[in-house]
């Protein structure tokens, strides 16, 4: 296996690992700690959970083209996370927030160090997967 192939494989494994940790983390918050997800949390899950399967299968089959799809899912999910985080942390968004179901999207189950909330954790995961996906896309083009 040449260096480029090993680098691509490591990046894909990294993206899969991040999606797995994010998925298990969200399940821990909801199923173990009993934090009820708000509507925006559910939308973020919709864009994160499939990536565990897609990226996992791509790792097994060494299909680096999946990075394009993973990037699309991560950009959409990350945009939702960014908006959700803004609802939690920026007063303008809090006062102009629309109703978000029975659980308010402005609520913060966790607030570590004054800025780390669940949507922030999701945003970081989506960002890292996006960076790795872009890296894979560029590396794959170099190899062709």
């Amino acid at each position: 296996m040449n260096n480029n192939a090993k680098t691509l494989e490591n990046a894909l494994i990294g993206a899969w690992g991040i999606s797995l940790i994010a998925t298990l983390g969200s399940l821990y918050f909801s199923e173990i700690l009993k934090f009820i997800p708000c509507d925006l949390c559910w939308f973020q899950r919709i864009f994160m959970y499939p990536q565990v399967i897609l990226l996992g299968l791509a790792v097994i089959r060494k299909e680096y083209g999946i990075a394009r799809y993973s990037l699309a899912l991560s950009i959409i999910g990350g945009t939702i996370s960014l908006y959700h985080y803004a609802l939690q942390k920026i007063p303008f968004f809090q006062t102009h927030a629309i109703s978000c179901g029975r659980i308010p999207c402005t609520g913060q189950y966790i607030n570590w160090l004054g800025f780390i909330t669940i949507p922030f954790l999701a945003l970081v995961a989506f960002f890292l997967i996006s960076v790795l996906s872009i890296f894979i896309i560029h590396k794959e083009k170099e190899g062709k």
Side-chain angles (χ1 to χ4, degrees), residues 59-129:
V59 167
I60 292 167
R61 300 179 72 176
K62 296 183 184 356
E63 291 182 5
Y64 306 111
I66 198 69
R68 288 166 183 77
Y69 303 105
S70 183
L71 179 60
L73 289 170
S74 293
I75 288 172
I76 296 167
T79 302
I80 296 167
S81 296
L82 183 62
Y83 174 68
H84 193 182
Y85 188 64
L87 284 176
Q88 291 182 329
K89 294 297 185 180
I90 300 172
F92 172 80
F93 284 99
Q94 290 174 348
T95 57
H96 293 88
I98 58 172
S99 178
C100 192
R102 66 185 182 112
I103 304 299
C105 291
T106 55
Q108 299 177 37
Y109 285 114
I110 65 168
N111 190 9
W112 300 330
L113 304 174
F115 72 97
I116 300 172
T117 64
I118 294 172
F120 180 83
L121 293 171
L123 178 61
V124 169
F126 283 124
F127 175 77
L128 292 173
I129 293 169

